[in-house]
């Protein structure tokens, strides 16, 4: 049986540590935004702590070294085989320098940028979810004797993690997972501990891919808040530099180790130009006007059958989505039955087991499963959590082996069905 | 102590070997069950009936069609293990051709060959309590099935796609990132997504997953440049006769009937 985290039962506590530092998420269940779509910016008020500074590659290495010296495992982008993935890094030499990417529906290729950029690519195959909400996690192990079960909780995760290169879309995704996993009656103590410890270094996006649409979702491309440090990479006049700003006191403390000069007006305008260029190069657009009501009114739209004819029900979209949080709980006994473990593993609304009840699966067809996913992501998520479930990162488009495009599917629902009086006329 | 029997039909015996390959778990297993009939492991035979029968292999001869009924009759629970027992195996390729043509091409005296026209799964002949997929089956999944049997509970064997396992282990999709045709999206999980982790497409050793769409995947194979006969062959390997794969392969040129 599968459940969302709120139902994840016995291992959850309500006294989890609140995230500190980087992102103080607003805990109130905000009312749905007017159009029911845009994600509110994480955090509130003034993001910057102190003036922006200008630094270089050696300065970035100092940041990494400083964090490692403080006990953080530093995780950032690195080239591995055919992709730029997120993994532990030791320094700037591990970053995918000169690598870009070319993404489209169902296609991803690493490209050669012919420059020195460390962060000249768009969304990585997997998001930071893989670290904050890992795919498989031991919750407890136990010993069973006749009439008695002794439970040993798995110790909370050890080393704190520092994330280098978090894009604005993914910052918003973390904020959304905070709402799901921390902002409700029951919190996930392991997520809370990792989240509280995580040091976030955001990077302003310079090269969105053809599957990006963060501008449509109001989630990027420039990080606005919710980070400890934020970098904008500048490659001008043969100089490789970064405009860096602190978003928290601990971020300011790390920046202070650099003794970097305050960024000048030219640097700041160059950084702004990076953001402006990125915003102007969104590969996709999602029309969010009235989208919540559109989805609700489209339950019987024939487009679902069309989507189902292409959908593989393979789960890839949900597992690469940085906000999807569904998990299943497994109890695994050994042969003797004397020892057992309880584990949480990623699950997906595209499996038949996800909605399995005594009479079978509630979502027994791919049409039903795809409709459930898109309707939750773009509509009922708003009612449930106060934000859209989509941040426009485009991963579900790129990593769909069948090249299904969420922006196209949503747009198709606006086209009235034959014999249908209005777009999404009568709710089913 | 409950009695375990292991039966062999038309197969390579690899799935039986999976049980012997349990190594460190094999001795604890013998504390829990009596291995009462397992010719691959021991000549000692304890009389039935048996509490749990593991059946390896497909039904390919009239004699086996009769023998599987006897196995069922002496078994409280019957679990078919492996691609042969659950779908007919590679030898079910005969189902797409004329067995008489094969016999006369291969044997000097084909009249000595007493075989059925098709290779069929155990479930086509007798009721089966659980089917464990794989070519070969996975050792840990086999232990999960036996453990569940010992507790009279349902084995927790996910029937979703191999893609779930790739994502859980952090493997980047070979179809999207490398353009390699991969059967993972239509294939039952269980192997731990081994092949994609080595940069190869999935060969579907574990057969169809339970929410699959072979039409769409075949279309993507064509988009990636796979010729039609190759599409047919890709769906016609370990689980050739599994109905969703048999239907798909027959829709491509060179796929035969």
């Amino acid at each position: 049986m599968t459940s969302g985290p709120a139902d994840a039962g016995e291992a959850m506590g309500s006294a989890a540590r609140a995230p500190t530092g980087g992102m103080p998420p607003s805990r109130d269940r905000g009312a749905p935004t007017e159009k029911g779509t845009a994600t509110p910016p994480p955090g509130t008020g003034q993001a910057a702590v102190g003036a922006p500074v200008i630094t270089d590659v050696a300065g970035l290495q100092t940041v990494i070294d400083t964090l490692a010296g403080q006990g953080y495992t530093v995780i950032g982008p690195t080239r591995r085989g055919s992709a730029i993935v997120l993994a532990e890094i030791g320094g700037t030499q591990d970053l995918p320098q000169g690598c870009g990417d070319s993404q489209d529906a169902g296609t991803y290729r690493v490209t050669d940028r012919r420059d020195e950029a460390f962060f000249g690519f768009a969304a990585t195959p997997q998001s930071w979810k893989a670290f904050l909400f890992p795919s498989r996690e031991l919750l407890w192990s136990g010993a069973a004797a006749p009439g008695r079960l002794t439970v040993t909780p798995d110790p909370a995760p050890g080393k704190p993690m520092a994330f280098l290169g978090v894009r604005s879309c993914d910052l918003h995704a973390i904020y959304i997972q905070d709402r799901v996993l921390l902002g409700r009656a029951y919190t996930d103590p392991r997520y809370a501990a990792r989240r509280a410890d995580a040091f976030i270094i955001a990077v302003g996006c310079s090269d969105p891919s053809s599957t990006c649409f963060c501008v449509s979702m109001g989630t990027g491309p420039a990080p606005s808040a919710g980070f400890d440090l934020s970098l904008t990479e500048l490659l001008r006049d043969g100089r490789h530099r970064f405009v860096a700003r602190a978003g928290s006191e601990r971020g300011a403390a790390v920046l202070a180790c650099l003794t970097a000069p305050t960024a000048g007006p030219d640097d700041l305008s160059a950084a702004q130009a990076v953001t402006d260029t990125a915003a102007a190069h969104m590969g996709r657009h999602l029309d969010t006007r009235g989208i919540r009501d559109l989805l609700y009114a489209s339950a019987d739209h024939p487009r679902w059958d069309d989507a189902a004819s292409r959908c593989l029900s393979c789960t890839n979209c949900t597992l690469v989505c940085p906000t999807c949080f569904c998990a299943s709980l497994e109890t695994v006994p050994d042969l003797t039955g004397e020892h057992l473990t309880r584990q949480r593993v990623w699950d997906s609304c595209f499996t038949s087991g996800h909605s399995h009840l005594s009479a079978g699966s509630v979502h027994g067809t791919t049409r039903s499963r795809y409709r459930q996913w898109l309707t939750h992501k773009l509509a009922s998520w708003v009612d449930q959590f106060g934000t859209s479930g989509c941040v426009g990162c485009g991963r579900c488009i790129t990593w769909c082996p069948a090249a299904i495009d969420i922006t196209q599917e949503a747009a198709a629902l606006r086209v009235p069905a034959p014999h249908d009086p209005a777009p999404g006329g009568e709710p089913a | 102590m409950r009695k375990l029997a292991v039966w062999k039909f038309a197969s390579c015996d690899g799935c039986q070997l999976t049980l012997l390959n349990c190594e460190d778990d094999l001795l604890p297993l013998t504390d829990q069950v009596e291995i009462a009939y397992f010719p691959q492991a021991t000549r000692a035979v304890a009389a039935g009936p048996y509490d749990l029968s593991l059946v390896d292999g497909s039904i390919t001869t009239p004699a086996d069609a009769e023998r599987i009924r006897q196995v069922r009759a002496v078994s409280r629970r019957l679990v078919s293990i492996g691609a042969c027992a659950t779908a007919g195996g590679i030898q079910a390729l005969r189902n797409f051709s004329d067995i008489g043509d094969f016999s006369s091409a291969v044997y000097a005296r084909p009249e000595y060959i007493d075989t059925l026209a098709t290779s069929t799964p155990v479930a086509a002949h007798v009721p089966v309590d659980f089917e464990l997929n794989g070519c070969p089956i996975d050792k840990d999944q086999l232990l999960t099935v036996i453990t569940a049997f010992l507790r009279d509970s349902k084995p927790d064997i996910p029937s979703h796609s191999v893609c779930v396992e790739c994502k859980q282990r952090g493997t980047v999709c070979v179809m999207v990132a490398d353009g390699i045709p991969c059967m993972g999206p239509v294939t039952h999980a269980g192997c731990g997504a081994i092949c994609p982790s080595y940069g190869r497409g999935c060969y579907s050793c574990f057969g169809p997953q339970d929410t699959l769409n072979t039409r769409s995947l075949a279309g993507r194979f064509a988009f990636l440049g796979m010729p039609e006969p190759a599409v047919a062959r890709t769906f016609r390997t370990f689980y050739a006769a599994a109905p969703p794969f048999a239907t798909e392969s027959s829709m491509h040129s060179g796929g035969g009937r």
Side-chain angles (χ1 to χ4, degrees):
Chain A
M1 184 62 205
T2 295
S3 58
D7 311 315
E10 66 268 49
M12 301 294 178
S14 56
R17 275 185 280 169
T20 57
M23 183 186 293
S26 127
R27 291 304 191 79
D28 58 314
R29 275 278 296 277
T33 50
E34 188 177 342
K35 287 177 181 174
T37 54
T39 308
T44 52
Q46 179 56 261
V49 177
V53 301
I54 185 86
T55 187
D56 56 11
V57 174
L60 178 57
Q61 182 63 50
T62 302
V63 168
I64 294 170
D65 291 341
T66 302
L67 291 168
Q70 290 176 3
Y72 286 98
T73 299
V74 181
I75 296 161
T78 194
R79 176 79 186 265
R80 191 169 287 172
S82 309
I84 298 164
V85 302
L86 301 175
E88 184 172 352
I89 58 166
T92 56
Q93 75 280 358
D94 294 331
L95 296 172
Q97 189 161 27
C99 290
D101 59 22
S102 166
Q103 303 192 30
D104 205 340
T107 304
Y108 172 99
R109 294 292 184 275
V110 176
T111 58
D112 180 1
R113 291 176 55 88
R114 303 177 189 281
D115 66 15
E116 305 296 304
F118 286 135
F119 301 102
F121 51 89
T124 46
Q126 195 50 271
S127 74
W128 307 92
K129 175 174 87 170
F131 299 94
L132 290 170
F133 189 67
S135 62
R136 178 175 290 273
E137 184 164 28
L138 179 64
L139 300 182
W140 51 260
S141 51
R148 208 165 63 104
L149 176 67
T150 311
V151 169
T152 311
D154 192 52
K159 268 183 99 174
M161 294 178 284
F163 299 150
L164 171 60
V166 182
R167 306 307 172 93
S168 185
C169 55
D170 283 347
L171 273 178
H172 283 260
I174 291 170
Y175 164 79
I176 290 170
Q177 287 219 320
D178 284 349
R179 288 206 149 201
V180 174
L181 298 168
L182 304 178
R184 297 193 290 166
Y186 294 95
T187 59
D188 180 331
R190 287 174 184 76
Y191 178 88
R194 283 188 290 263
R195 185 67 185 86
D197 286 343
F199 188 102
I200 292 181
I201 306 171
V203 165
C205 222
S206 60
D207 293 80
S209 81
S210 90
T211 54
C212 287
F213 56 103
C214 65
V215 168
S216 298
M217 304 314 293
T219 57
S224 56
F227 49 80
D228 294 291
L229 289 179
S230 176
L231 306 175
T232 304
E233 187 171 34
L234 301 180
L235 291 159
R236 285 196 314 164
D237 312 325
R239 291 187 299 170
H240 192 182
R241 301 185 305 158
F242 302 89
V243 172
R245 45 187 111 218
S248 69
E249 293 302 330
R250 63 179 179 179
V254 171
L255 268 198
C257 300
L258 297 182
T259 62
T262 303
D266 283 0
D267 302 322
L268 295 179
S269 64
Q272 185 60 45
V274 167
T275 294
D276 292 344
T277 305
H281 286 84
M282 288 290 116
R284 294 284 201 280
H285 171 72
L286 182 67
D287 182 356
T288 58
R289 289 171 302 160
I291 195 156
R292 172 166 155 264
D293 294 339
L294 172 73
L295 265 294
Y296 284 158
S298 300
D300 289 324
H301 199 285
R303 182 70 180 191
W304 301 120
D305 291 314
D306 187 77
S309 73
R310 288 169 282 132
C311 177
L312 295 162
S313 204
C314 63
T315 77
N316 277 305
C317 50
T318 56
L319 301 184
V320 297
C321 176
T323 69
C324 275
F325 54 84
C326 278
S328 175
L329 293 170
E330 293 179 0
T331 306
V332 184
D334 73 355
L335 267 170
T336 66
E338 292 164 10
H339 306 281
L340 59 157
T341 60
R342 182 82 157 160
Q343 303 181 30
R344 184 193 59 203
V345 295
W346 283 355
D347 200 355
S348 167
C349 50
F350 283 92
T351 70
S352 64
H354 184 271
S355 64
H356 188 86
L357 299 175
S358 58
S361 287
V362 174
H363 297 292
T365 62
T366 297
R367 176 186 191 274
S368 169
R369 287 185 287 269
Y370 187 80
R371 185 179 67 182
Q372 156 66 23
W373 179 66
L374 202 70
T375 305
H376 189 210
K377 192 66 42 184
L378 297 177
S380 53
W381 201 293
V382 179
D383 293 323
Q384 196 177 4
F385 302 115
T387 72
S388 173
C390 176
V391 295
C393 71
R395 287 187 179 91
C396 60
I397 304 172
T398 297
W399 297 99
C400 174
I404 296 174
D405 179 341
I406 187 174
T407 65
Q408 278 183 13
E409 298 310 314
L413 295 176
R414 294 188 186 276
V415 179
H419 313 299
D420 194 1
E426 289 297 307
Chain B
M1 193 181 289
R2 302 197 202 193
K3 288 183 179 174
L4 173 72
V6 184
W7 308 89
K8 177 201 160 51
F9 288 80
S11 74
C12 75
D13 290 20
C15 291
Q16 297 175 62
L17 287 176
T18 301
L19 182 56
L20 291 175
N21 284 346
C22 285
E23 296 176 346
D24 288 349
D25 291 312
L26 192 55
L27 286 178
L29 177 64
T30 58
D31 290 339
Q32 304 294 318
V33 294
E34 175 192 356
I35 296 182
Y37 178 86
F38 188 9
Q40 178 90 266
T42 172
R43 276 176 290 183
V45 172
Y50 306 100
D51 295 295
L52 174 63
S53 278
L54 303 176
V55 179
D56 169 43
S58 68
I59 308 304
T60 57
T61 66
D64 278 354
E66 177 52 34
R67 188 163 59 98
I68 190 63
R69 295 179 192 285
Q70 296 164 9
V71 169
R72 177 71 260 190
V74 296
S75 306
R76 189 164 70 86
R77 291 268 184 269
L78 189 155
V79 173
S80 51
I81 59 170
C84 302
T86 60
I90 291 177
Q91 59 272 29
L93 287 169
R94 69 164 66 170
N95 302 8
F96 303 93
S97 302
D98 185 343
I99 191 66
D101 292 346
F102 285 138
S103 294
S104 53
V106 172
Y107 297 102
R109 302 292 297 270
E111 63 271 25
Y112 289 173
I113 304 300
D114 186 14
T115 191
L116 297 169
T118 56
S119 169
T120 45
V122 173
H125 299 264
V126 296
V128 168
D129 295 294
F130 190 78
E131 293 186 308
L132 184 63
N133 288 298
C135 185
I137 55 169
D138 176 77
K139 168 191 128 174
D140 291 327
Q141 289 202 330
L142 177 61
L143 288 170
T144 297
V145 168
I146 294 174
T147 303
F149 159 76
L150 289 169
R151 326 232 104 59
D152 288 321
S153 61
K154 183 176 175 289
D156 188 3
I157 304 288
S159 51
H160 52 227
S161 73
V162 169
C163 302
V164 176
E165 298 187 316
C166 270
K167 291 294 177 285
Q168 284 177 347
R169 66 184 286 168
T171 300
V172 174
C173 179
V174 298
M175 197 143 81
V176 171
D178 301 291
I180 297 172
C182 176
M183 287 286 277
V186 297
T187 298
H188 195 293
C191 66
I194 298 168
C195 290
S197 77
Y198 287 94
R200 299 167 67 156
C202 166
Y203 294 90
S204 203
C205 308
F206 276 62
Q209 62 123 330
D210 69 352
T211 61
L212 80 181
N213 183 345
T214 58
R215 283 272 69 204
S216 174
L217 188 65
R220 288 302 287 177
F221 287 173
F223 174 81
L224 294 173
M226 184 185 274
E228 276 282 284
V231 176
R233 285 196 298 273
T234 302
F235 280 95
R236 200 168 280 185
T237 57
F238 309 96
Y239 275 77
F245 288 1
T247 301
E248 188 58 47
S249 67
S250 296
M251 296 175 80
H252 299 273
S253 63
R257 69 171 101 140

